[in-house]
């Protein structure tokens, strides 16, 4: 039963489900449903799909996640970035509006779901950590700018296509003379209204005496108000006959069960985009879920989240939808509205299902400009260009990765952008770990502590070289360690002992072990003994399974002070006799390294 609960979290929280929790979940579901209806329609159009597909992707996936997911507040469904990636991937295989395009989108959701499930069952959630935060932030910022730019054509009532910022910008400029004034009269006020609703409506209602909870509900209903007003305007003024593009007829009824096209050629073409969508969607979902869980001292299981998102995507595929993931904005709304369990998502699914049954006929005259305004307002909240300045001030290498991801995504499209981000993340990881920080350390007078000679007033001896390496030792940095140690030894002709201080070494792989053996051999040949100190238990356990310790020219010391006292007792005695209060310089330093 315990293992079953691990794969079916609903068996855990469901046993403790109370009437109060159900009430809070229902209230949250109502608020999220109001927000999700226009978003689902808008994101489906962003993905190049009929608007009803967005509604279909917001029903069964929410139920599936409620069964398999671990986050109490994550709201699953169509999101802007995944919609853009879907359009980019499927647009290369079929023309929008065709059955082949829809089939490819369904296959993409199914394939993404299978990949997420496989990653979850094999506990590969840690792979997401290989994507650095600056790269993810850069990709989302660039995607937000691309999405906003791609929706300007709907606000202006012109035709403009492209996968990069230059292509979209060029197409917009080329067609400016064809702007439809009626579309512009709908799109610009709708965008301004939604921007004001996002930041100004709730405070305004509270100032007028409305309670915070009710004011929040009205603020979240802002997009619904924009949809209603612009739809009525389109009907009253017959805007469709004046060139304003409308959503058109939306089929009424629940989605019918379907299966993706099982074409090996199609699946092969979608494999890489599906993997990228899976990873990006998972990273975004887990980041949001962990942030919200921490606020209530809850926890999520990343590997089970993979299974939950995988089940949601497969549910989306079999109900005729496209890839989904946890959305930041709606999850925050769900959390703030008081959702206590994943059941809130299931209740939201019921609300969306009712909308597909009864509300879709009312949306036929909805201007596409309103949906474009909804998208623009939503995605611009994801754009964080200020992060470039913050990251630049902290880390030049992370800034390079972030700026490079933004530029490549804007200049070459989302797929190349995210692949560049992955490559840059891995390259930075390997580069940083291939050149670990190494410090020559000495003893702080009057203590048993050893610190960097460049940062502290310490005492060292001429016959003992103590070196601290601040990284685990593996294939990428083993040669650097070997070269650096031998270089330091060559600079000290009177040296008799080298002590490698392993305080920060959590692992030594086979390549690093060979380097340690080579260091030991070359030092021994030159008459220098090689010692280790402060080796952690798990690392020592592995070393004892080899013959390295049998051939070690020196010893393994429990502490660095023990090594120093044994190898250079005269200097150790001097250091012990001196009081740090008599030192002319402070023996401490506030900095990133100790």
């Amino acid at each position: 039963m315990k293992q079953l609960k691990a794969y079916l979290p609903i068996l855990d929280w469901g046993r403790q489900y109370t009437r109060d929790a159900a009430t809070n979940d229902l209230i949250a579901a109502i608020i999220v449903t109001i927000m999700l209806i226009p978003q689902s329609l808008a994101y489906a159009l962003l993905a190049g799909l009929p608007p009803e597909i967005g509604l279909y992707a917001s029903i069964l996936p929410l139920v599936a996640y409620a069964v398999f997911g671990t986050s109490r507040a994550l709201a699953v469904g169509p999101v802007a970035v995944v919609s853009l990636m879907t359009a980019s991937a499927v647009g290369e295989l079929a023309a929008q509006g065709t059955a082949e395009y829809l089939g490819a989108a369904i296959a993409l959701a199914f394939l993404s779901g299978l990949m997420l499930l496989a990653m979850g069952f094999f506990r590969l959630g840690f792979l997401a950590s290989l994507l650095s935060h600056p790269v993810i932030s850069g990709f989302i910022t660039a995607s937000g700018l691309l999405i906003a730019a791609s929706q300007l054509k709907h606000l202006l009532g012109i035709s403009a296509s492209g996968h990069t910022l230059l292509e979209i910008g060029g197409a917009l400029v080329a067609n400016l003379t064809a702007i439809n004034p009626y579309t512009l009269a709908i799109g610009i006020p709708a965008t301004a209204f939604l921007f004001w609703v996002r930041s100004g409506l709730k405070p305004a209602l509270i100032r007028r005496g409305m309670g915070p909870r009710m004011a929040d509900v009205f603020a979240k209903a802002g997009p619904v108000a924009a949809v209603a007003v612009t739809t009525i305007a389109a009907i009253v003024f017959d805007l469709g006959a004046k060139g304003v593009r409308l959503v058109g007829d939306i089929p009424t009824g629940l989605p019918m069960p379907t299966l993706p096209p099982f074409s090996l050629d199609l699946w092969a073409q979608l494999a890489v985009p599906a993997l990228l969508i899976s990873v990006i969607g998972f990273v975004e979902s887990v980041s949001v879920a962990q942030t919200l869980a921490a606020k209530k001292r809850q926890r999520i299981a990343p590997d089970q989240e993979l299974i939950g998102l995988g089940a949601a995507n497969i549910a989306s595929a079999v109900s005729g939808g496209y890839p989904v993931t946890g959305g930041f904005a709606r999850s925050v709304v769900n959390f703030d509205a008081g959702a206590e369990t994943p059941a809130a998502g299931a209740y939201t699914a019921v609300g969306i299902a009712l909308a597909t049954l009864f509300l879709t006929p009312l949306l036929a005259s909805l201007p596409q400009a309103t949906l474009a305004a909804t998208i623009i307002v939503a995605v611009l909240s994801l754009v964080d260009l200020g992060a470039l300045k913050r990251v630049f001030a902290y880390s030049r290498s992370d800034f390079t990765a972030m700026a490079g991801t933004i530029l490549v995504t804007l200049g070459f499209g989302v797929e190349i952008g995210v692949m560049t981000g992955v490559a840059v993340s891995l390259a930075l990881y390997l580069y940083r770990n291939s050149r670990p920080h190494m410090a020559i350390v000495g003893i702080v007078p009057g203590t048993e502590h050893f610190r960097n000679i460049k940062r502290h007033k310490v005492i060292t001896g001429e016959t003992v070289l103590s070196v601290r390496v601040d990284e685990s030792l593996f294939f990428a940095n083993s040669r650097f360690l070997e070269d650096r140690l031998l270089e330091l030894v060559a600079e000290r002709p009177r040296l008799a002992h080298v002590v490698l201080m392993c305080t920060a070494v959590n692992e030594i792989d086979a390549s690093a072990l060979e380097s340690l053996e080579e260091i030991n051999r070359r030092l021994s040949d030159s008459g220098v003994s090689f010692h280790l100190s402060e080796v952690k238990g798990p690392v020592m356990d592995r070393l004892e399974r080899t013959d390295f310790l049998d051939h070690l020219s020196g010893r393994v010391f429990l502490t660095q002070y023990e090594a120093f006292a044994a190898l250079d007792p005269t200097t150790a005695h001097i250091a012990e006799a001196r009081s740090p209060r008599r030192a002319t310089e402070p023996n401490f330093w506030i900095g990133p390294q100790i």
Side-chain angles (χ1 to χ4, degrees):
M1 179 59 70
K2 184 177 181 181
Q3 188 174 9
L4 189 60
K5 287 181 180 179
Y7 287 105
L8 291 173
I10 191 174
L11 297 178
D12 184 23
W13 60 262
R15 292 176 58 190
Q16 307 167 11
Y17 200 55
T18 63
R19 180 175 297 179
D20 289 340
T23 301
N24 291 332
D25 286 343
L26 278 170
I27 294 173
I30 292 171
I31 296 173
V32 175
T33 300
I34 292 172
M35 175 185 184
L36 192 55
I37 291 173
Q39 273 195 358
S40 298
L41 298 170
Y43 291 152
L45 291 178
L46 174 61
L49 295 165
E52 68 270 13
I53 303 301
L55 297 174
Y56 297 165
S58 303
I59 302 176
L60 279 187
L62 279 70
V63 177
Y65 183 82
V67 175
F68 295 99
T70 61
S71 172
R72 302 294 181 97
L74 190 70
V76 174
V79 299
V81 173
V82 171
S83 298
L84 178 65
M85 296 177 73
T86 298
S88 177
V90 179
E92 298 179 359
L93 305 178
Q96 290 188 12
T98 63
E100 290 77 13
Y101 190 95
L102 176 58
I106 294 173
L108 188 63
F110 193 79
L111 191 55
S112 177
L114 291 178
M115 289 180 175
L116 288 165
L117 285 177
M119 292 169 66
F121 284 125
F122 288 106
R123 300 186 178 278
L124 299 180
F126 69 93
L127 292 176
S129 61
L130 296 179
L131 281 174
S132 68
H133 177 74
V135 167
I136 291 293
S137 177
F139 173 72
I140 292 177
T141 291
S143 297
L145 293 173
L146 273 179
I147 292 169
S150 70
Q151 296 306 297
L152 291 177
K153 63 182 179 183
H154 296 299
L155 294 186
L156 303 176
I158 61 178
S159 297
S161 60
H163 297 290
T164 69
L165 193 61
L166 288 177
E167 291 176 356
I168 295 172
L172 288 172
V173 172
N175 291 281
L176 283 178
T177 56
I179 290 177
N180 185 296
Y182 299 101
T183 302
L184 198 63
I186 288 287
I188 299 302
T191 305
F193 171 74
L194 291 175
F195 270 119
W196 175 75
V197 164
R198 177 174 287 267
S199 59
L201 180 57
K202 183 177 178 179
L205 293 175
I206 292 176
R207 285 195 300 269
R208 292 180 177 273
M210 185 177 290
R213 191 74 173 266
M214 188 58 64
D216 190 62
V217 172
F218 274 90
K220 298 302 184 294
V224 176
V227 167
V229 171
T230 55
T231 301
I232 293 172
I235 294 172
V236 171
F237 298 105
D238 194 18
L239 296 181
K242 298 174 181 177
V244 176
R245 297 174 185 172
L246 308 178
V247 169
D249 293 332
I250 301 176
T252 300
L254 297 175
M256 296 298 293
T258 185
L259 288 175
F262 290 95
S263 167
L264 291 180
D265 182 59
L266 176 63
W267 283 37
Q269 292 175 297
L270 293 175
V272 173
L275 179 61
L276 296 177
I277 286 174
S278 300
V279 172
I280 293 296
F282 172 65
V283 171
E284 182 178 354
S285 293
V286 168
S287 298
V288 175
Q290 288 178 333
T291 300
L292 298 179
K295 292 183 178 182
K296 289 190 175 181
R297 297 189 179 184
Q298 299 169 349
R299 62 177 297 273
I300 66 166
D303 292 323
Q304 183 60 30
E305 283 299 289
L306 284 166
I307 295 175
L309 291 174
N313 275 278
I314 290 178
S316 181
V318 299
S319 58
Y322 70 104
V324 297
T325 193
F328 175 77
R330 72 173 66 101
S331 296
V332 172
V333 170
N334 197 37
F335 179 86
D336 291 341
E340 293 192 17
T341 73
Y347 298 151
T348 301
V350 174
I352 299 296
L354 293 175
T356 63
L357 287 172
F358 303 109
L359 297 182
T360 51
L362 304 177
L363 299 173
S365 298
L366 171 63
Q368 291 187 14
T370 305
L371 296 181
T374 302
I375 293 175
I376 289 173
V377 173
V379 299
L380 287 184
S381 66
L382 303 176
V383 175
D384 186 11
L385 293 176
L388 284 169
K389 181 179 179 180
R390 296 192 298 270
V391 173
F392 179 81
Y394 183 75
S395 170
R396 298 295 191 273
S397 60
D398 281 337
F399 169 79
T400 301
M402 185 177 186
T405 302
I406 291 175
L407 293 175
V408 172
T409 303
L410 293 177
F412 298 95
V414 292
E415 285 190 19
I416 297 178
V418 71
M419 286 190 287
T420 299
V422 172
V424 169
S425 294
L426 293 176
L428 283 176
Y429 173 80
L430 291 175
Y431 176 77
R432 288 168 178 166
N433 287 279
S434 68
R435 303 179 64 85
H437 178 259
M438 294 176 62
I440 300 174
V441 297
I443 188 169
V444 178
T447 74
E448 296 184 2
H449 299 293
F450 287 78
R451 293 294 185 266
N452 192 336
I453 64 172
K454 295 182 178 180
R455 294 177 176 270
H456 302 267
K457 184 68 174 180
V458 295
I459 295 175
T460 60
E462 293 186 351
T463 60
V464 178
L465 174 66
S466 298
V467 179
R468 188 189 70 218
V469 57
D470 295 333
E471 184 59 70
S472 292
L473 304 179
F474 68 117
F475 67 92
N477 61 27
S478 58
R479 185 58 184 270
F480 176 82
L481 171 70
E482 182 179 337
D483 293 342
R484 180 61 179 151
L485 272 182
L486 296 176
E487 178 185 345
L488 293 173
V489 171
E491 297 171 353
R492 294 163 173 79
R494 298 185 59 185
L495 198 64
H497 303 279
V498 172
V499 183
L500 185 64
M501 188 175 175
C502 301
T503 312
V505 177
N506 297 315
E507 184 178 3
I508 298 176
D509 75 355
S511 298
L513 179 61
E514 288 190 9
S515 289
L516 292 179
E517 291 173 342
E518 180 64 14
I519 291 169
N520 180 62
R521 184 188 65 79
R522 295 181 65 175
L523 291 180
S524 181
D525 290 345
S526 61
V528 178
S529 298
F530 184 44
H531 310 268
L532 304 178
S533 73
E534 304 197 13
V535 181
K536 295 184 178 180
V539 177
M540 180 60 74
D541 291 341
R542 296 184 66 178
L543 290 178
E544 288 176 343
R545 295 200 295 265
T546 71
D547 60 356
F548 170 72
L549 298 178
D550 298 331
H551 301 295
L552 186 64
S553 59
R555 297 164 53 188
V556 178
F557 293 94
L558 180 64
T559 67
Q560 180 63 23
Y561 180 77
E562 180 184 308
F564 195 64
L567 301 176
D568 195 350
T570 302
T571 307
H573 180 71
I574 295 173
E576 184 177 351
R578 290 183 56 185
S579 169
R581 293 182 180 177
R582 296 172 60 188
T584 57
E585 297 182 34
N587 64 356
F588 60 89
W589 184 276
I590 298 176
Q593 298 166 334
I594 61 170

